[in-house]
Amino acid sequence: MAKNSKDEKNQKQEQAPLTEWQKRNLDFLKQKEKEKKEQEKLKKELADKKRARLLAKSSEEDESEDEKSPKKKKSKSGKASSKKKSRLGKKASVKPLPKKKKTKPKSTKFKRRMTSVLVPALLGVLLALYLLTPLSKIKHVTVDGVNRTTSQSVLKASGLKDSDYTLATIFNRSRLANAVAKNDIWVKSASVDYSFPFTFSIKVKEYSIVAYAQTDQGYVPILESGTRLDSVEATDFPDKFTTINLKNGKYLSSLIKKLTKMDKSLISEIKVITLADSKTTPDLLNLEMQDGNTVRVPLSQIDKKLPYYDKIKGSLKDNKIVDMEVGIFATSDNGQSTDDSSEASSTEDSSQSSDQNQDNQSQDSNQGQDQNTSDNSSQTESSDQANNDQAADSQ
């Protein structure tokens, strides 16, 4: 009975649930067993690889010996064949080992490291020696495209000095070109070219003189950029030039911009440009032409309407006023329209221009009739006055 009671107690103890510490301990033991098994497998694999290497070496040695002693091979052919068969069977079971990469010797690596360090160091030393010598500052500079300005003023505007290094000048060519265009008022654009070993050429494009402004000091040239220069002597004037007499700076700058876009041959036909002082159109200009005619055109439309003057001037006689304020028609100095007048409000609509010309001709005929009637009335009035004077004298 006592034994039965003990067995029951043991069974109850075994059936009792495990604690967390016991579970962890069991897991730890299981992991250790797995690690042991893995280590044993690795050891077996290493041993197999070593055996395979030894077998490969022994086979190579045997082959070399066989090549050296062919006679011995014949006597021991049966044994060698059996041994080779057994070795071949073992080789077939063993996997071939991967080929090892050939490691480069340390001497080549050292040489490469030394060259990578020494070559830049030598170049730096040579550059330092070159900068210390006077050869590093030799420069031969030429200036091309100079007509109004001088090469000395271009060099001064560039800021280039004899003490500047040649290498620095090569890398700062764009900066030198910008300095020339900024500091010299005659220069419109510039570029710097380099040719080996130390030659530099500055190519310059100058502004052209659009017109002259009349001041108390004399005639002052006005460039395309709108800048005014110092007064010029009479000997420096061209045969034909345009004079601008505008005091308003806004009108002057806008006029210069428009004139630069127009044909130079057309601008050369203008003699004097003044403001018309019109209340209806404040920017109306009076253009005295070289042929004696006068053109009245708004500043805002001068680039569109003034080219029509070349088409009209051939039909004009004597000195006429070509009014381009609204349309385009010619009048005499007395304000009367002439028979040679032409109306052209736009180039796109030719029918409208012809109708306007017909209207102008009818207006001209009406004005002529009105003038004839006024002349006849004045003649009758003068004759009546003469008769009255004669009657008074007779009395």
Side-chain angles (χ1 to χ4, degrees):
M1 294 295 288
K3 288 180 180 179
N4 292 327
S5 62
K6 286 180 181 179
D7 293 332
E8 289 175 358
K9 286 180 182 180
N10 291 325
Q11 288 177 0
K12 288 178 181 180
Q13 286 177 0
E14 288 177 357
Q15 290 176 359
L18 297 173
T19 60
E20 291 181 359
W21 182 82
Q22 290 175 348
K23 290 178 181 179
R24 290 177 184 174
N25 193 9
L26 289 171
D27 294 335
F28 179 72
L29 292 171
K30 288 178 181 179
Q31 287 178 357
K32 275 191 173 182
E33 289 178 358
K34 287 180 181 179
E35 288 177 357
K36 285 181 182 180
K37 289 178 181 179
E38 288 177 356
Q39 287 178 358
E40 288 176 358
K41 286 181 181 179
L42 290 170
K43 286 179 181 179
K44 287 180 181 180
E45 289 177 357
L46 291 170
D48 294 334
K49 288 179 181 179
K50 285 181 181 179
R51 288 176 186 174
R53 287 176 187 173
L54 292 170
L55 290 170
K57 286 181 181 179
S58 62
S59 64
E60 287 176 358
E61 289 175 358
D62 293 336
E63 286 175 358
S64 62
E65 287 177 358
D66 293 336
E67 288 175 357
K68 289 179 182 177
S69 57
K71 291 180 180 179
K72 290 180 180 179
K73 273 187 178 182
K74 289 179 181 179
S75 61
K76 298 178 181 179
S77 60
K79 293 180 181 179
S81 61
S82 62
K83 285 180 181 179
K84 284 180 180 179
K85 286 179 182 179
S86 62
R87 285 172 186 172
L88 289 168
K90 289 179 180 179
K91 284 181 182 178
S93 62
V94 178
K95 293 180 181 179
L97 294 171
K99 293 182 180 180
K100 291 184 179 180
K101 293 181 180 179
K102 293 181 180 180
T103 57
K104 293 181 180 179
K106 292 182 179 180
S107 60
T108 55
K109 291 182 179 178
F110 180 73
K111 286 179 181 178
R112 287 182 180 179
R113 288 178 183 176
M114 288 297 291
T115 52
S116 63
V117 173
L118 289 173
V119 170
L122 288 171
L123 291 173
V125 171
L126 292 172
L127 180 62
L129 292 172
Y130 171 72
L131 294 174
L132 291 172
T133 58
L135 292 172
S136 62
K137 297 179 181 179
I138 294 174
K139 295 181 291 295
H140 180 66
V141 184
T142 59
V143 181
D144 298 329
V146 173
N147 293 321
R148 302 281 184 177
T149 185
T150 60
S151 59
Q152 292 178 355
S153 63
V154 171
L155 290 172
K156 187 177 179 181
S158 66
L160 188 63
K161 298 178 182 178
D162 295 334
S163 60
D164 293 339
Y165 290 105
T166 308
L167 289 174
T169 308
I170 292 168
F171 292 113
N172 293 327
R173 285 177 292 169
S174 60
R175 184 180 62 80
L176 293 173
N178 292 329
V180 171
K182 183 179 179 181
N183 297 324
D184 196 332
I185 56 176
W186 281 102
V187 177
K188 186 176 183 180
S189 62
S191 62
V192 181
D193 296 332
Y194 168 71
S195 58
F196 187 80
F198 43 75
T199 303
F200 297 91
S201 62
I202 302 173
K203 295 181 180 179
V204 172
K205 187 177 180 181
E206 293 179 342
Y207 286 112
S208 61
I209 297 173
V210 178
Y212 292 83
Q214 190 175 4
T215 61
D216 296 335
Q217 298 176 355
Y219 285 94
V220 175
I222 301 171
L223 302 179
E224 289 178 345
S225 58
T227 56
R228 295 189 180 189
L229 303 177
D230 296 332
S231 59
V232 182
E233 295 181 358
T235 55
D236 296 332
F237 286 130
D239 296 333
K240 292 181 180 181
F241 61 91
T242 304
T243 304
I244 299 174
N245 294 328
L246 295 177
K247 295 180 180 179
N248 193 337
K250 292 181 180 179
Y251 288 164
L252 180 62
S253 61
S254 61
L255 177 61
I256 295 297
K257 288 179 181 178
K258 288 183 179 294
L259 290 177
T260 52
K261 295 177 182 179
M262 294 169 63
D263 190 5
K264 291 183 179 180
S265 61
L266 180 61
I267 296 167
S268 63
E269 295 180 9
I270 304 169
K271 187 175 182 180
V272 182
I273 300 174
T274 56
L275 197 65
D277 294 331
S278 176
K279 293 180 180 180
T280 56
T281 55
D283 63 340
L284 188 65
L285 301 175
N286 275 337
L287 308 181
E288 294 181 15
M289 310 304 285
Q290 298 286 349
D291 55 5
N293 297 322
T294 303
V295 179
R296 295 165 61 87
V297 61
L299 175 59
S300 59
Q301 298 177 354
I302 189 171
D303 54 345
K304 295 179 181 178
K305 290 187 174 182
L306 190 60
Y308 288 105
Y309 180 73
D310 288 334
K311 299 176 182 179
I312 297 169
K313 66 180 182 180
S315 61
L316 298 176
K317 296 177 181 179
D318 299 331
N319 295 333
K320 301 294 173 62
I321 298 172
V322 180
D323 196 343
M324 298 183 179
E325 185 176 359
V326 178
I328 300 174
F329 60 92
T331 59
S332 62
D333 294 336
N334 295 325
Q336 295 178 354
S337 297
T338 61
D339 294 332
D340 297 329
S341 63
S342 62
E343 187 74 24
S345 60
S346 64
T347 57
E348 295 178 355
D349 198 350
S350 60
S351 62
Q352 290 181 359
S353 62
S354 62
D355 294 336
Q356 288 174 355
N357 287 324
Q358 290 176 1
D359 294 336
N360 287 326
Q361 289 175 1
S362 62
Q363 288 177 2
D364 295 337
S365 61
N366 292 328
Q367 287 179 359
Q369 290 176 0
D370 294 335
Q371 287 176 1
N372 291 326
T373 54
S374 62
D375 293 335
N376 292 326
S377 62
S378 61
Q379 287 176 2
T380 52
E381 287 177 0
S382 61
S383 61
D384 291 336
Q385 287 178 0
N387 292 326
N388 291 327
D389 292 336
Q390 287 176 2
D393 292 334
S394 62
Q395 289 176 358

